[in-house]
């Protein structure tokens, strides 16, 4: 099952690639999510390990080109800020992974959903009840729209 999930995630689309982050990219995003708008030097100083200024600059530029950061140049240095909050980023990544699975064959969809429900049931019965309520609410919404 784990190998299956990794293979599905690896074969994700371009939007998933833009949202995927390497270790350093994730560390830099965490700094920007926590501190807001910062320049390269400020971000580099907040890292828990020493890195060359140019490494941080190049990585921030890569994140900007992926569309994850905004930047502006009020003086001589760019100021970077996250385009999405961490919650928005996590939600979008999760939606993309699920959309990829749901676009696959019926057997894959059933495997994903049953494995997900089994895992939730083993770890968090309260969450399982919340999911059940959300499913009922969604069914009512779809029924009102005329889609059974």
């Amino acid at each position: 099952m784990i190998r299956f999930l990794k293979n599905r995630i690896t074969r994700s689309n371009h939007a998933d690639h833009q949202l995927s982050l390497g270790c350093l990219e994730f560390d830099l995003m965490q700094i920007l999510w926590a501190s807001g708008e910062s320049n390269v030097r400020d971000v580099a100083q907040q890292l828990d390990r020493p890195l060359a200024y140019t490494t941080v600059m190049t990585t921030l530029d890569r994140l900007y080109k992926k569309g994850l950061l905004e930047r502006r140049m009020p003086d001589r240095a760019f100021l970077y800020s996250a385009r999405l909050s961490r919650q928005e980023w996590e939600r979008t990544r999760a939606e993309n992974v699920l959309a990829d699975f749901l676009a696959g064959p019926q057997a894959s969809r059933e495997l994903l959903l049953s494995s997900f429900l089994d895992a939730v049931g083993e770890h968090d019965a309260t969450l399982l009840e919340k999911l059940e309520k959300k499913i009922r609410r969604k069914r009512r919404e779809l029924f009102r729209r005329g889609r059974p």
Side-chain angles (χ1 to χ4, degrees):
M1 177 64 187
I2 302 257
R3 187 177 328 131
F4 173 76
L5 289 172
K6 283 182 179 178
N7 288 339
R8 292 293 295 210
I9 291 168
T10 302
R11 289 184 279 131
S12 61
N13 63 26
H14 179 68
D16 292 338
H17 171 70
Q18 288 183 297
L19 292 170
S20 66
L21 299 174
C23 293
L24 177 57
E25 290 175 326
F26 184 73
D27 290 346
L28 299 184
M29 288 300 297
Q30 292 223 91
I31 290 169
L32 290 168
W33 283 321
S35 64
E37 191 175 63
S38 299
N39 62 30
V40 175
R41 189 168 316 286
D42 292 340
V43 171
Q45 288 174 350
Q46 292 182 54
L47 281 169
D48 59 356
R49 62 191 185 277
L51 283 177
Y53 177 92
T54 54
T55 301
V56 176
M57 180 179 66
T58 301
T59 306
L60 289 172
D61 184 61
R62 186 175 334 122
L63 290 167
Y64 170 75
K65 288 176 179 172
K66 282 184 170 186
L68 293 171
L69 296 180
E70 295 179 350
R71 71 181 177 193
R72 63 186 187 89
M73 187 182 280
D75 294 316
R76 294 183 56 204
F78 281 119
L79 291 175
Y80 290 90
S81 59
R83 183 167 280 172
L84 301 171
S85 69
R86 177 159 182 183
Q87 184 178 10
E88 291 168 330
W89 173 76
E90 288 176 347
R91 179 184 200 95
T92 304
R93 281 196 69 215
E95 287 171 353
N96 287 347
V97 169
L98 284 174
D100 186 40
F101 271 105
L102 294 174
Q106 181 72 24
S108 295
R109 291 184 293 214
E110 288 176 10
L111 176 63
L112 169 71
L113 294 174
S114 65
S115 297
F116 174 74
L117 291 174
D118 289 344
V120 170
E122 288 178 22
H123 297 285
D124 193 342
T126 305
L127 179 57
L128 193 58
E129 286 190 28
K130 288 179 183 178
L131 288 171
E132 188 174 1
K133 287 178 185 177
K134 285 183 178 190
I135 289 170
R136 279 194 226 114
R137 197 175 320 126
K138 191 60 161 179
R139 280 190 176 149
R140 285 192 300 269
E141 179 186 318
L142 291 172
F143 182 75
R144 282 193 298 269
R145 291 183 185 172
R147 293 182 0 201

